[in-house]
Amino acid sequence: MASAASPSEITSIKAFAESNGSSPIPSTYHSLTEPRDDVADHLACSIPVIDFSHLTSHDPQIHASTVHQLANACAQWGFFLLTNHGISEKLMEEVMEKSHEFHNLPLEEKEEFADKGPLTAIRHGTSFHPQAEKLHYWRDYLKVITLPQFNFPHKPPGYKEIAFEYSRKIRGVARELLKGISESLGLDAESIIESTGFDSGLQIFAVNLYPPCPEPDLAVGLPPHSDHGLLTLLTQNGIGGLQVKHTGKWVNVNPLPNCLIVNTGDQLEAVSNGRYKSVMHRAVLNNRDTRISLVLVNGPDLDKEIGPALGLLEKEDPLFKTMKYRDYFEIQQMTRFAYKSGLDEIRHN
Ligand code: OGA
Ligand code: NI
């Protein structure tokens, strides 16, 4: 028998998993549509690696060859590991530790942050939207809007300060990557930053926690999806689970020590006029270890109209309509349950 708790009453899968032990999981967590046998492990070591210190190198040749690597990584994978990004190991460890402490707070302490909708500054919850969905996902989250204004929970002590530092460092790395990506498209380095209003843009700081799951092949951490922003920068606590879709197969992402995992988002697909596809990815579970991922989605200014870069349209037709990022974000939040991309709503056909 599954547990007595009715799944829609589960406000934290962490708390549920701890009380449920190794008993079977509720059937509303059974994902019957997610095959697990289509993982192409031989491709895992082919995920591109980009050396950030080469991208920012003052040697024009080293820089140019890295821009070229970035072009290939974005066009062929939409996914790469970023080494030598300059964010200290200490900061990465501290932000991970505080993130764990946050999720370890008693439920009552987190109640004040209970999710009240997509554009609220701080929201804590489980799955996506337990009251509205048929299938639930085995993860808890904290999602915070950290740009253009910085918000953050005031507990545990010290979390906010560390998160601020991490958020700003990540933004700096994302900004440099966007400059390289702009160049890789044959545009001026500042082009995407300017056209998307990146310097007054959105950043969402998500802290996902995936408790061990006694039936890891039945439940899913996160279903296949693409991210809505321009670039997502992710780190995890050393426990695997992230998979990326590549040439029709799922590939396990095995990060290098201290690297950042980067993926392209919907807005970059639109800006690049389809050249850099927003990559599908998902999170799978295990029955031993708690997995934590820090996922920072870096997007345009919410009030900016976003569409294919004008510099690209001199030679090609636009594949996407222009839409305010705020409106796109709303559509994307609504369509993500439907196993389709928000991009379908703005694609010219
Ligand atoms: C996300 C995401 C993957 C992970 O939060 O958008 O893709 O490994 N997370 O947690
Ligand atoms: Ni994602």
Side-chain angles (χ1 to χ4, degrees), residues 222 225-227 232 263 281 295:
L222 275 185
H225 68 281
S226 63
D227 296 342
T232 302
N263 69 266
H281 50 285
V295 183

Side-chain angles (χ1 to χ4, degrees), residues 81-192:
L81 307 180
L82 190 69
T83 58
N84 296 318
H85 44 71
I87 303 180
S88 76
E89 216 172 304
K90 180 164 171 284
L91 177 58
M92 289 176 59
E93 277 168 12
E94 280 175 345
V95 69
M96 189 59 80
E97 200 177 298
K98 290 287 172 196
S99 296
H100 209 162
E101 274 179 44
F102 176 86
H103 279 290
N104 277 339
L105 290 171
L107 277 182
E108 316 82 80
E109 295 257 357
K110 291 178 283 194
E111 240 162 45
E112 63 179 293
F113 309 120
D115 196 341
K116 293 181 192 68
L119 277 176
T120 31
I122 303 179
R123 43 201 190 110
H124 172 255
T126 190
S127 189
F128 278 111
H129 192 351
Q131 311 308 327
E133 63 201 11
K134 285 199 202 84
L135 171 67
H136 302 309
Y137 299 99
W138 196 267
R139 70 123 189 202
D140 289 342
Y141 62 84
L142 167 68
K143 287 185 194 170
V144 188
I145 296 179
T146 43
L147 279 168
Q149 277 89 38
F150 183 73
N151 304 278
F152 222 76
H154 51 90
K155 53 191 164 190
Y159 192 17
K160 188 171 186 166
E161 291 72 17
I162 286 290
F164 179 80
E165 203 182 330
Y166 188 67
S167 143
R168 293 326 191 240
K169 290 258 160 66
I170 286 284
R171 193 68 173 185
V173 172
R175 195 177 191 283
E176 283 301 321
L177 288 173
L178 277 180
K179 282 164 64 180
I181 287 173
S182 251
E183 285 183 75
S184 79
L185 291 166
L187 305 168
D188 291 340
E190 301 284 333
S191 170
I192 294 180

Side-chain angles (χ1 to χ4, degrees), residues 139 206 208 210 222 225 227 234 236 242 281 283 291 293 295:
R139 70 123 189 202
N208 295 311
Y210 307 92
L222 275 185
H225 68 281
D227 296 342
L234 180 149
Q236 62 184 24
L242 179 59
H281 50 285
R291 173 165 184 261
S293 62
V295 183

Side-chain angles (χ1 to χ4, degrees), residues 118 123 228 328-337:
R123 43 201 190 110
H228 53 83
Y328 183 78
F329 180 76
E330 272 175 25
I331 288 178
Q332 192 261 0
Q333 296 289 307
M334 287 182 318
T335 53
R336 67 191 168 165
F337 300 118

Side-chain angles (χ1 to χ4, degrees), residues 42-349:
H42 64 285
L43 288 174
C45 53
S46 329
I47 294 181
V49 179
I50 304 275
D51 186 329
F52 187 72
S53 69
H54 289 177
L55 183 68
T56 53
S57 166
H58 294 298
D59 180 325
Q61 253 178 344
I62 294 178
H63 173 73
S65 88
T66 314
V67 166
H68 187 68
Q69 287 173 17
L70 205 47
N72 287 337
C74 290
Q76 290 161 19
W77 281 83
F79 222 88
F80 54 91
L81 307 180
L82 190 69
T83 58
N84 296 318
H85 44 71
I87 303 180
S88 76
E89 216 172 304
K90 180 164 171 284
L91 177 58
M92 289 176 59
E93 277 168 12
E94 280 175 345
V95 69
M96 189 59 80
E97 200 177 298
K98 290 287 172 196
S99 296
H100 209 162
E101 274 179 44
F102 176 86
H103 279 290
N104 277 339
L105 290 171
L107 277 182
E108 316 82 80
E109 295 257 357
K110 291 178 283 194
E111 240 162 45
E112 63 179 293
F113 309 120
D115 196 341
K116 293 181 192 68
L119 277 176
T120 31
I122 303 179
R123 43 201 190 110
H124 172 255
T126 190
S127 189
F128 278 111
H129 192 351
Q131 311 308 327
E133 63 201 11
K134 285 199 202 84
L135 171 67
H136 302 309
Y137 299 99
W138 196 267
R139 70 123 189 202
D140 289 342
Y141 62 84
L142 167 68
K143 287 185 194 170
V144 188
I145 296 179
T146 43
L147 279 168
Q149 277 89 38
F150 183 73
N151 304 278
F152 222 76
H154 51 90
K155 53 191 164 190
Y159 192 17
K160 188 171 186 166
E161 291 72 17
I162 286 290
F164 179 80
E165 203 182 330
Y166 188 67
S167 143
R168 293 326 191 240
K169 290 258 160 66
I170 286 284
R171 193 68 173 185
V173 172
R175 195 177 191 283
E176 283 301 321
L177 288 173
L178 277 180
K179 282 164 64 180
I181 287 173
S182 251
E183 285 183 75
S184 79
L185 291 166
L187 305 168
D188 291 340
E190 301 284 333
S191 170
I192 294 180
I193 288 171
E194 282 170 12
S195 69
T196 61
F198 188 74
D199 290 336
S200 49
L202 182 73
Q203 183 185 60
I204 297 181
F205 190 137
V207 183
N208 295 311
L209 182 139
Y210 307 92
C213 177
E215 296 177 288
D217 291 334
L218 277 180
V220 177
L222 275 185
H225 68 281
S226 63
D227 296 342
H228 53 83
L230 292 160
L231 287 176
T232 302
L233 278 65
L234 180 149
T235 45
Q236 62 184 24
N237 64 337
I239 307 298
L242 179 59
Q243 295 182 335
V244 54
K245 191 117 195 208
H246 180 66
T247 59
K249 294 272 185 193
W250 289 105
V251 178
N252 284 313
V253 180
N254 304 322
L256 300 166
N258 304 315
C259 77
L260 293 168
I261 302 169
V262 183
N263 69 266
T264 54
D266 293 353
Q267 293 291 302
L268 191 62
E269 180 166 343
V271 167
S272 69
N273 202 28
R275 206 163 310 176
Y276 298 157
K277 299 255 181 319
S278 181
V279 68
M280 297 296 280
H281 50 285
R282 70 181 183 185
V284 298
L285 302 165
N286 75 77
N287 57 14
R288 296 172 313 275
D289 302 302
T290 293
R291 173 165 184 261
I292 296 179
S293 62
L294 308 180
V295 183
L296 279 78
V297 174
N298 294 279
D301 186 322
L302 278 167
D303 292 311
K304 203 88 175 171
E305 297 276 346
I306 308 296
L310 293 180
L312 298 176
L313 298 184
E314 287 160 15
K315 296 199 196 108
E316 49 198 77
D317 291 331
L319 295 182
F320 298 97
K321 297 171 209 159
T322 291
M323 184 184 273
K324 214 176 249 185
Y325 181 39
R326 185 187 299 278
D327 298 333
Y328 183 78
F329 180 76
E330 272 175 25
I331 288 178
Q332 192 261 0
Q333 296 289 307
M334 287 182 318
T335 53
R336 67 191 168 165
F337 300 118
Y339 276 77
K340 66 178 199 177
S341 165
L343 282 173
D344 295 337
E345 305 294 317
I346 59 167
R347 205 186 303 275
H348 282 298
N349 34 43

